[in-house]
Amino acid sequence: MRRVFIAAAVAIIAAGAVAGILVRYPDGIPEIMQRLFSPAEPLSRESWTLAFYLAGDNSLERDQLENLREICEGSPAVADTPMVVFIDRDDDISRDSPLTAWKGSRLFVVTKKDYLDVIRSPIDVDIPRSVEAGRFERSITARLQDPRDRDFILEHYEKKGGYYVLGRHGRETGERIRAVLAEKPGYLLPLRGREHANLDAVDGRTLSRFVRYVKDNFPSERYLLCIAGHGSGWFGNAAGILPPAENRSGEYFRGFEIQGLRQALQDEPVDVLVLDMCSMGDIETAWELKDCTRYLVSNQTAVPTMGLDYTLLLRRLGRRQALTPQDIAGDAVEAYRDTYGGFRQFALSAAALDLGDDFEAFVESFQRAVSDPALLPAIRKAGRDARSIPGRHRSRYPMIDLLPLAGALGDAKLESLSSRRQFMIRHAAVNSDLTGISVYLPATAEDRLLHEYAETSFARDFPRGWVSILPGLLADR
């Protein structure tokens, strides 16, 4: 009995000490988590970090705040999994409560269900205590042009095993390290708790800073990254951008560019990438991002501004005994079905793709098949019969359903790959007969986007493939 009493007393004292630390240092959660996941200690099998990147300095500002509330609401279902949220909101907060409003960009670690408690404690981004060696050399020292800055950083970070570890330092030195990392290599997120900062969320450099912050402070074996904002597939902002409204930032009408996403993630890939935005489910986007993630979840169609219900996603994940990348990608697709399955006014086609060998074999077979001159009549007929994608004005953003087109070309290997669809691990069609992935087919030879299309990886990597036959197809349309 006495041992039980002593053990209970020790637990209470320890809990009190931790509570005292959190009260004394409300912005110190990342440091605590970093110690829990110290590189010196082995990670548990299939450990995960869930990261959410909410671009809301635009017409989606209210929806992104609701997404943050949904993440908080669903957090108890995955209570043992670190969850980090970056949100950039519209600077116009005149309609919000003074108690809950802020301007610009903030970072949160979601450890509780109560939304108001979470937003009261924005994270003060500290200098990293340790950085994986490859990331340190690739993203810090290699980008420091001034040898004095490089020597200064290496003076305070010592390589130990597979990490560079920060040594003992004073406050002044810490501030200088922060300044160098934030300004020179563009490594550190310049966020200081409640201090105002207005970062450009659709800039790939901001996204890369966020991903590096997550990996430095919440190291895991697996990472889920959900990006919510405006999108338009491979078109990006070439699709036509409205001028900024009065008193709006330059990013108000801008969406994510797939080249920017690739540049942000190609050196820091994640296991599952969810693009919670409109019209990102095209083969061009998937090919561009194949080195950035193994599993890609995207929407072939336009999506209502409220996007994915993150509470439903997190509750689905919480019901699993163990999380695998394939399961999480599939659950994200099913969460879209949960979100919109009861509505008749929305048409949705969301898919989870495995961008591994089967996907690459499909793309290579498609590009080889369409380069065969003997198949041009079949391609023309399949193109005329193909379903266009709802939510895109046909004369401006012409996309068609890819898999029926690929299966109708008469190429045996391509038809087999199209019918088996082993690279598509989950597909949810709500009020739609689309098959999950699109391809570009302009309506006229004068399409102003043909030049931009030639710059996509899907076109550059296969110059004698689909991009080369478009002029011949257009003559028939």
Side-chain angles (χ1 to χ4, degrees):
M1 188 64 156
R2 183 181 179 187
R3 291 180 179 177
V4 173
F5 176 81
I6 293 173
V10 170
I12 292 171
I13 292 170
V18 171
I21 291 172
L22 294 177
V23 171
R24 178 72 173 82
Y25 303 105
D27 297 333
I29 293 173
E31 180 180 347
I32 292 172
M33 293 302 299
Q34 186 180 36
R35 290 172 182 171
L36 290 175
F37 292 96
S38 169
E41 299 179 8
L43 293 168
S44 61
R45 185 180 180 186
E46 294 294 306
S47 58
W48 280 87
T49 294
L50 311 183
F52 304 86
Y53 188 85
L54 312 179
D57 192 357
N58 50 42
S59 58
L60 302 176
E61 189 256 1
R62 287 296 185 92
D63 298 293
Q64 301 294 30
L65 290 175
E66 183 59 31
N67 284 338
L68 178 55
R69 290 187 179 93
E70 291 169 358
I71 294 167
C72 295
E73 180 69 23
S75 62
V78 288
D80 295 332
T81 305
M83 288 189 293
V84 192
V85 181
F86 170 91
I87 181 169
D88 182 39
R89 62 172 300 184
D90 186 351
D91 273 358
D92 180 10
I93 58 172
S94 59
R95 296 167 295 176
D96 292 341
S97 165
L99 299 177
T100 62
W102 74 88
K103 292 184 178 182
S105 313
R106 288 195 175 178
L107 188 68
F108 301 97
V109 175
V110 178
T111 59
K112 56 189 72 175
K113 181 177 180 179
D114 191 291
Y115 168 78
L116 294 180
D117 281 349
V118 169
I119 66 172
R120 289 189 189 106
S121 302
I123 298 305
D124 186 343
V125 176
D126 200 358
I127 56 178
R129 302 300 196 267
S130 64
V131 181
E132 187 271 327
R135 185 181 312 123
F136 188 93
E137 294 163 359
R138 178 178 62 247
S139 300
I140 296 179
T141 55
R143 297 182 182 181
L144 288 172
Q145 301 299 317
D146 190 330
R148 293 170 297 181
D149 291 328
R150 189 162 53 249
D151 292 343
F152 170 72
I153 292 298
L154 290 173
E155 178 184 347
H156 294 283
Y157 281 89
E158 180 183 357
K159 189 173 184 181
K160 297 181 178 180
Y163 289 81
Y164 281 84
V165 179
L166 180 65
R168 299 176 65 88
H169 62 279
R171 181 174 180 177
E172 184 176 341
T173 298
E175 288 301 318
R176 183 181 170 191
I177 294 173
R178 177 193 294 275
V180 170
L181 294 183
E183 298 169 10
K184 303 296 179 65
Y187 187 85
L188 203 64
L189 270 173
L191 296 178
R192 303 296 299 265
R194 298 175 184 272
E195 290 184 12
H196 178 258
N198 191 14
L199 305 184
D200 185 349
V202 298
D203 188 329
R205 292 170 294 186
T206 305
L207 175 60
S208 65
R209 290 180 189 230
F210 171 69
V211 174
R212 290 193 293 257
Y213 170 82
V214 170
K215 290 190 173 185
D216 285 345
N217 291 276
F218 302 90
S220 298
E221 289 181 327
R222 303 285 188 183
Y223 295 90
L224 163 69
L225 173 61
C226 298
I227 305 177
H230 283 307
S232 192
W234 76 265
F235 295 99
N237 296 316
I241 304 302
L242 296 172
E246 185 178 359
N247 299 324
R248 301 295 191 186
S249 71
E251 63 185 290
Y252 193 78
F253 292 106
R254 284 168 47 221
F256 286 94
E257 300 267 7
I258 59 172
Q259 291 85 359
L261 292 173
R262 174 178 54 78
Q263 291 167 5
L265 298 174
Q266 62 185 353
D267 289 335
E268 300 295 344
V270 295
D271 297 279
V272 182
L273 176 61
V274 177
L275 299 179
D276 187 19
M277 54 188 86
C278 292
S279 307
M280 300 297 283
D282 54 56
I283 193 72
E284 295 87 354
T285 294
W287 187 257
E288 194 82 28
L289 301 179
K290 63 183 176 62
D291 296 324
C292 301
T293 185
R294 176 61 185 267
Y295 295 93
L296 175 67
V297 177
S298 56
N299 293 280
Q300 193 178 9
T301 57
V303 180
T305 59
M306 60 186 177
L308 179 63
D309 187 322
Y310 289 95
T311 300
L312 298 180
L313 171 61
L314 293 174
R315 287 175 178 170
R316 273 188 168 273
L317 300 183
R319 290 196 291 267
R320 292 192 175 276
Q321 293 296 318
L323 296 177
T324 68
Q326 185 168 337
D327 288 337
I328 287 185
D331 280 347
V333 171
E334 292 304 323
Y336 274 110
R337 197 195 306 273
D338 295 341
T339 304
Y340 296 104
F343 294 92
R344 298 302 304 172
Q345 66 268 41
F346 300 130
L348 188 78
S349 177
L353 303 182
D354 179 345
L355 303 185
D357 292 341
D358 288 325
F359 172 75
E360 294 196 17
F362 170 78
V363 171
E364 290 166 359
S365 294
F366 174 76
Q367 297 281 19
R368 175 189 50 77
V370 298
S371 67
D372 184 352
L375 290 180
L376 190 57
I379 297 171
R380 284 176 170 161
K381 182 179 185 307
R384 289 193 300 268
D385 296 340
R387 292 188 292 270
S388 58
I389 308 303
R392 293 184 185 270
H393 191 284
R394 185 169 176 76
S395 64
R396 291 188 63 198
Y397 319 133
M399 301 293 289
I400 60 171
D401 204 18
L402 172 59
L403 292 180
L405 169 73
L409 299 186
D411 182 272
K413 181 177 180 181
L414 179 60
E415 183 177 359
S416 174
L417 290 168
S418 301
S419 61
R420 288 187 289 122
R421 304 182 188 182
Q422 290 183 327
F423 59 88
M424 186 173 292
I425 62 173
R426 196 71 56 87
H427 176 231
V430 179
N431 305 321
S432 171
D433 58 357
L434 295 173
T435 59
I437 191 165
S438 312
V439 71
Y440 175 56
L441 182 58
T444 69
E446 290 75 32
D447 193 305
R448 64 185 179 84
L449 296 173
L450 278 170
H451 176 71
E452 284 84 354
Y453 188 72
E455 297 303 314
T456 64
S457 294
F458 189 72
R460 291 198 318 271
D461 291 349
F462 303 95
R464 298 183 180 180
W466 183 248
V467 67
S468 71
I469 69 166
L470 288 180
L473 294 178
L474 296 177
D476 198 40
R477 290 173 69 79

